[in-house]
């Protein structure tokens, strides 16, 4: 009976996620399950210059930011989140948003999305030459109120005007959902709430929804539970995971996400960006460590790991900090 | 699916099942492990901090501190704590006090305290000091074997055979380690078949469990999968353990992969003690705290109290005047 149940479980999963991934027969040993079809390619969305630097204490010069992005452009990364059009009052690190946007060398085939929290930010972004934007929703009411001073529904309504303007301008919009595996204020977050917010963003017109474990508390258990709920509402090929490594769980969580059909992963070079909710702890997962794992799995990313490590080494020297990437740490000392 | 009757096979279309049994859908969806993967319900953690961890720490730790470390670990629920190593103090000065440590610790009931015994001399000393379980170390890499213990793999197996046979006579269980299971600092790539060959030998000689070590942490879920597929042809999953190093940050996904393959024993070190002798300044052993956090988050039982392990980690890091390698300990220590 257990064998029957296992087969049915897998059937439910593959039908929920489309027929892209092969279901295995129940006579398959555990070994085959562990080797369950992984995506052939994974798109890495590099968030170091925005999410990373935004959470670094040291103020970084415009020239450094531009040089970092240019170095990242040469690594093969397909998407590099360049800056954020928020008010410099809230995020001083991103005050030079226009200069950065205008200063970087745009590599053909590479996308440079920017954050636009409202219509004003969107218009400024467009003027500065942005051709892709991103908006942010939270899966936790308390987090939304504390972070952007309004409820989740109110925040999504604000984004309505951004979505409308973006559609008219033919600019694609990526949606972020934060606190998908836990909230620093509320604690546990219901997977259904995450699914609800993700669905809203998707039906509003976001082409991709990045699910963020903002405090890094998630584990493969909560990750799979959450993805199970979300993939009922949003097709899995429109989903991405944005894992924080605060509790060391990021790569394990990413692996589980891949096994569930996710093929877009956010990461930050050198693991830039600490955690504002656990002082001294790490935040974003390091792009180098993600790429190392993916390449070890035979998954293509298009990224040159050694060039990526060069970019990481550069920004760490400039910030006068140690890298948070274990691959970088290990490789340069062998 | 060979033994499944044809009537059941017929029923195995999802739609058919749900039509016949509408309650089934809700029951299935409420199951914890509905990710297409199964995980063991219980994972045995083998704590190697006091031996493998301290062995790779630069500072020589006083005997009293080692004993206190082990005694504190004994109070956390850990079922196995590798206490020390009966190697020559010429080679491993950190373990010179092996007899004093083994005699000094308070042995908690239901906890096992294996010790390393590389040869007969070590084994005899261990037994004289009160050891009730021992471990031997083989390598999947010839070069590593020669550089590490100054003999070929075959020669080392002969040495271990002697130990294992004597241990059998005295009813002392022996655990076998295979190092360089996913890569060698000298040879680079290691063929999975070599790992299974060594694992098989140790298992057939009488080791009750084989711990497969990613000695330099270069493995990824890809190489872990291939290696385990090969080894599991020779050694049953229930007799296997994984000993992952976190030098490249891959330990937890590698452990996850092993669990998905049916392995249910994981080696780890409190506070991630023990650097990597092959990548100076890098980390070595995966942190027990981080492993526990993952397992408990997945609903897997370990019998271990994470909060107590974090306390032990704090203690030993203070004593060593070093920062913890555990991300969980770092996060918990500073959460606002």
């Amino acid at each position: 009976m257990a064998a029957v149940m296992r087969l049915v479980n897998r059937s439910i999963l593959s039908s929920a996620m489309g027929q892209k991934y092969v279901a295995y027969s129940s006579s398959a040993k555990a070994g085959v399950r562990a080797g369950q079809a992984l995506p052939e390619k994974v798109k890495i969305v590099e968030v170091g210059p925005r999410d990373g630097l935004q959470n670094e204490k040291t103020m970084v010069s415009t020239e450094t930011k531009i040089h970092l992005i240019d170095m990242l452009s040469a690594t093969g990364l397909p998407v590099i989140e360049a800056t954020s059009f928020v008010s410099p009052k809230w995020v001083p690190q991103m005050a030079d948003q226009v200069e950065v946007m205008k200063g970087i060398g745009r590599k053909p085939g590479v996308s440079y999305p920017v954050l636009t929290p409202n219509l004003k930010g969107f218009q400024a972004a467009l003027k500065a030459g942005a051709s892709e934007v991103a908006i942010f929703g939270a899966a936790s009411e308390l987090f939304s109120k504390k972070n952007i001073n309004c409820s989740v529904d109110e925040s999504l309504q604000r984004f309505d005007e951004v979505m409308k303007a973006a559609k008219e301008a033919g600019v694609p919009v990526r949606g972020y959902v934060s606190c998908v595996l836990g909230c620093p204020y509320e604690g546990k977050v219901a997977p259904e709430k995450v699914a609800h917010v993700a669905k809203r963003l998707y039906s509003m017109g976001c082409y991709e929804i990045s699910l963020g474990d903002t405090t890094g508390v998630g584990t493969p258990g909560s990750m799979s539970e959450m993805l199970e709920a979300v993939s009922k509402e949003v097709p899995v090929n429109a989903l991405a995971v944005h894992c924080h490594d605060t509790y060391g769980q990021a790569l394990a969580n990413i692996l589980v996400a891949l096994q569930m059909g996710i093929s877009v992963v956010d990461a930050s070079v050198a693991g830039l960006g600490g955690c504002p909710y656990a002082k001294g702890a790490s935040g974003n997962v390091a792009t180098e460590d993600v790429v190392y794992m993916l390449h070890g799995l035979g998954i293509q990313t298009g990224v040159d790991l050694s060039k990526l490590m060069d970019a990481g080494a550069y920004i760490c020297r400039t910030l006068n900090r140690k890298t948070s990437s274990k691959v970088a740490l290990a490789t340069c000392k062998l | 699916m060979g033994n499944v009757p044809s009537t059941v096979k017929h029923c195995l279309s999802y739609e058919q099942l749900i039509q016949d049994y509408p309650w089934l859908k809700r029951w299935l969806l409420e199951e914890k492990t509905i990710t297409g993967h199964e995980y063991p319900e219980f994972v045995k953690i083998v704590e190697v901090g006091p031996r493998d961890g301290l062995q790779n720490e630069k500072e020589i730790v006083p005997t009293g501190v080692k004993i206190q470390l082990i005694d504190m670990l004994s109070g956390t629920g850990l079922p196995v704590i590798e206490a020390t190593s009966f190697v020559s103090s010429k080679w491993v000065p950190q373990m010179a006090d092996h007899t004093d440590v083994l005699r000094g610790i308070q042995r908690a009931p239901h906890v096992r305290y294996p010790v390393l015994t590389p040869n007969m001399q070590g084994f005899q000393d261990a037994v004289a000091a009160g050891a009730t379980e021992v471990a031997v170390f083989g390598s999947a890499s010839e070069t590593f074997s020669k550089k590490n213990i100054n003999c070929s793999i075959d020669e080392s197996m002969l040495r271990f055979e002697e130990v294992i046979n004597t241990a059998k006579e005295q009813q002392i269980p022996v655990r076998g380690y295979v190092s360089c299971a996913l890569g060698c600092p000298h040879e680079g790539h290691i063929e999975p078949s070599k790992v299974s060959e060594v694992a098989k030998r140790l298992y057939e000689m009488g080791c009750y469990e084989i711990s497969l070590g990613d000695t330099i942490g270069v493995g990824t879920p890809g190489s872990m999968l291939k290696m385990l597929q090969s080894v599991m042809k020779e050694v049953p999953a229930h007799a296997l353990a994984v000993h992952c190093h976190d030098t490249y940050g891959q330990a937890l996904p590698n452990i996850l992969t092993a669990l998905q393959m049916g392995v249910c024993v994981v080696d780890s070190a409190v506070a991630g003690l023990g650097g990597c002798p092959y990548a100076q300044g890098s980390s070595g052993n995966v942190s027990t705290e981080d492993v526990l956090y993952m397992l408990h988050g997945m609903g897997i039982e370990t019998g271990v109290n994470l909060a107590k392990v974090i306390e032990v980690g704090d203690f030993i890091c203070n004593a060593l005047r070093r920062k913890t390698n555990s991300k969980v300990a770092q996060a918990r220590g500073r959460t606002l």
Side-chain angles (χ1 to χ4, degrees):
Chain A
M1 188 58 184
V4 171
M5 289 303 112
R6 279 200 290 278
L7 179 65
V8 177
N9 286 352
R10 270 192 289 284
S11 307
I12 296 170
L13 205 63
S14 66
S15 63
M17 307 210 291
Q19 293 308 304
K20 218 172 18 158
Y21 300 92
V22 178
Y24 285 82
S25 78
S26 64
S27 67
K29 292 189 185 150
V32 181
R33 267 197 289 286
Q36 189 155 333
L38 294 169
E40 278 176 14
K41 289 190 182 149
V42 162
K43 177 175 85 174
I44 307 262
V45 173
E46 171 59 47
V47 301
R50 201 278 307 165
D51 193 13
L53 292 183
Q54 188 170 301
N55 284 302
E56 290 286 330
K57 288 199 195 100
T58 319
M59 287 300 286
V60 174
S61 73
T62 309
E63 292 71 37
T64 303
K65 287 185 184 112
I66 289 170
H67 189 59
L68 171 65
I69 294 169
D70 287 346
M71 283 186 86
L72 291 168
S73 294
T75 62
L77 282 161
V79 184
I80 301 165
E81 205 176 54
T83 186
S84 180
F85 282 79
V86 288
S87 157
K89 191 174 65 177
W90 297 115
V91 187
Q93 182 78 277
M94 301 286 126
D96 54 2
Q97 58 214 199
V98 176
E99 291 92 333
V100 168
M101 210 57 214
K102 287 193 170 147
I104 56 175
R106 307 244 210 155
K107 187 157 183 231
V110 181
S111 186
Y112 299 90
V114 300
L115 239 67
T116 52
N118 47 40
L119 189 61
K120 186 168 170 221
F122 176 79
Q123 286 158 346
L126 217 57
K127 203 167 156 204
S131 43
E132 181 174 329
V133 300
I135 60 175
F136 250 92
S140 150
E141 287 295 338
L142 259 175
F143 188 85
S144 188
K145 290 221 171 68
K146 290 210 182 229
N147 216 33
I148 52 176
N149 215 14
C150 62
S151 73
V152 173
D153 277 343
E154 284 165 354
S155 74
L156 295 177
Q157 271 164 24
R158 275 187 207 173
F159 291 133
D160 264 336
E161 5 172 58
V162 175
M163 295 305 307
K164 203 165 157 230
K167 260 185 212 146
E168 280 167 21
V171 169
V173 183
R174 187 184 210 230
Y176 280 95
V177 184
S178 51
C179 296
V180 300
L181 299 179
C183 168
Y185 311 106
E186 277 183 19
K188 216 168 172 315
V189 173
E192 293 68 34
K193 182 76 181 177
V194 182
H196 168 75
V197 179
K199 184 182 183 179
R200 283 278 311 262
L201 287 167
Y202 188 66
S203 34
M204 275 160 64
C206 292
Y207 77 91
E208 190 169 272
I209 313 299
S210 173
L211 306 163
D213 181 13
T214 306
T215 48
V217 290
T219 64
S222 52
M223 171 62 87
S224 54
E225 222 184 353
M226 183 274 295
L227 285 177
E228 187 68 27
V230 176
S231 55
K232 287 190 190 119
E233 308 292 351
V234 180
V236 76
N237 57 10
L239 293 174
V241 288
H242 182 111
C243 298
H244 277 201
D245 205 37
T246 318
Y247 287 75
Q249 309 294 305
L251 286 188
N253 292 344
I254 289 168
L255 181 62
V256 162
L258 296 176
Q259 290 174 340
M260 293 185 69
I262 302 290
S263 57
V264 184
V265 176
D266 298 0
S268 174
V269 63
L272 286 180
C275 180
Y277 306 98
K279 210 171 103 119
S282 61
N284 286 304
V285 68
T287 314
E288 298 93 316
D289 299 359
V290 173
V291 169
Y292 184 90
M293 180 174 80
L294 296 177
H295 289 182
L297 280 163
I299 295 173
Q300 290 168 46
T301 62
V303 179
D304 182 325
L305 181 55
S306 60
K307 285 189 177 158
L308 184 60
M309 289 199 284
D310 288 343
Y314 163 74
I315 193 63
C316 287
R317 265 195 318 270
T318 321
L319 284 169
N320 200 21
R321 63 160 267 176
K322 268 178 82 172
T323 181
S324 290
S325 155
K326 286 204 160 175
V327 170
L329 205 61
T331 317
C332 59
K333 305 259 183 54
L334 268 171
Chain B
M1 292 275 285
N3 293 330
V4 177
S6 54
T7 46
V8 178
K9 276 185 196 162
H10 167 73
C11 287
L12 282 181
S13 78
Y14 171 58
E15 289 78 14
Q16 186 66 47
L17 257 175
I18 296 309
Q19 219 174 354
D20 293 346
Y21 305 101
W23 52 266
L24 203 59
K25 187 173 182 172
R26 205 187 62 236
W27 178 67
L28 288 172
L29 291 176
E30 276 164 17
E31 266 195 283
K32 214 169 16 184
T33 53
I34 192 156
T35 60
H37 294 280
E38 284 186 4
Y39 297 98
E41 280 178 11
F42 180 88
V43 164
K44 178 175 82 174
I45 304 275
V46 173
E47 171 60 44
V48 301
R51 201 278 309 166
D52 193 12
L54 293 185
Q55 189 170 302
N56 284 301
E57 290 287 330
K58 291 202 192 97
E59 276 214 26
I60 298 288
V61 176
T63 308
V65 172
K66 288 189 181 111
I67 289 172
Q68 195 177 351
L69 170 66
I70 295 168
D71 286 346
M72 285 180 84
L73 288 168
S74 295
T76 62
L78 282 161
V80 186
I81 302 166
E82 204 175 57
T84 187
S85 178
F86 283 79
V87 289
S88 155
S89 50
K90 193 175 65 179
W91 298 115
V92 187
Q94 182 76 274
M95 299 285 126
D97 55 3
H98 39 63
T99 302
D100 294 332
V101 168
L102 201 50
R103 290 216 173 118
I105 56 173
Q106 305 230 6
R107 309 236 201 161
H110 314 301
V111 182
R112 291 153 67 166
Y113 301 90
V115 300
L116 242 67
T117 53
N119 48 38
M120 274 310 292
Q121 179 68 57
F123 177 78
Q124 282 155 356
D125 291 344
V127 173
T132 47
E133 182 172 330
V134 299
V136 296
F137 245 90
S139 174
S141 154
E142 282 293 353
T143 316
F144 190 84
S145 189
K146 292 216 173 75
K147 289 202 184 236
N148 215 37
I149 52 175
N150 216 16
C151 62
S152 71
I153 296 175
D154 277 346
E155 284 164 351
S156 73
M157 291 293 135
L158 289 172
R159 278 186 208 170
F160 300 145
E161 202 168 17
E162 219 193 330
V163 171
I164 294 168
N165 286 339
T166 315
K168 263 187 217 160
E169 283 165 19
Q170 301 184 29
Q171 278 153 7
I172 290 177
V174 183
R175 189 186 209 225
Y177 281 92
V178 182
S179 56
C180 298
L182 297 178
C184 169
H186 314 292
E187 283 182 24
H189 174 73
I190 295 292
E191 278 300 318
S193 55
K194 191 68 190 178
V195 183
S196 23
E197 192 190 306
V198 177
K200 181 182 182 182
R201 279 187 76 176
L202 287 168
Y203 187 65
E204 284 175 351
M205 286 196 308
C207 291
Y208 75 91
E209 191 170 272
I210 312 297
S211 174
L212 306 163
D214 182 11
T215 306
I216 47 172
V218 288
T220 63
S223 53
M224 172 63 85
L225 178 72
K226 287 196 184 115
M227 185 274 292
L228 285 176
Q229 279 173 337
S230 176
V231 174
M232 281 174 172
K233 289 186 191 133
E234 311 293 350
V235 182
H238 67 81
L240 291 175
V242 286
H243 183 112
C244 297
H245 277 202
D246 204 37
T247 318
Y248 288 75
Q250 308 295 306
L252 287 188
N254 289 345
I255 289 167
L256 188 71
T257 302
L259 297 177
Q260 290 174 352
M261 300 273 306
V263 174
C264 50
V265 184
V266 175
D267 298 0
S268 59
V270 60
L273 287 178
C276 179
Y278 305 98
Q280 226 214 27
S282 291
S283 59
N285 287 303
V286 68
S287 309
T288 304
E289 298 92 317
D290 298 1
V291 172
L292 288 173
Y293 186 89
M294 180 173 82
L295 297 177
H296 293 176
M298 293 167 68
I300 295 172
E301 305 265 352
T302 62
V304 185
N305 183 321
L306 172 56
K308 286 191 176 159
V309 177
I310 294 175
E311 274 172 31
V312 183
D314 282 345
F315 160 75
I316 191 61
C317 287
N318 278 336
L320 285 168
R321 287 191 301 267
R322 62 159 273 177
K323 272 175 82 174
T324 180
N325 273 335
S326 157
K327 287 208 158 170
V328 170
Q330 279 169 32
R332 286 278 174 88
R334 274 102 167 235
T335 309
L336 294 171

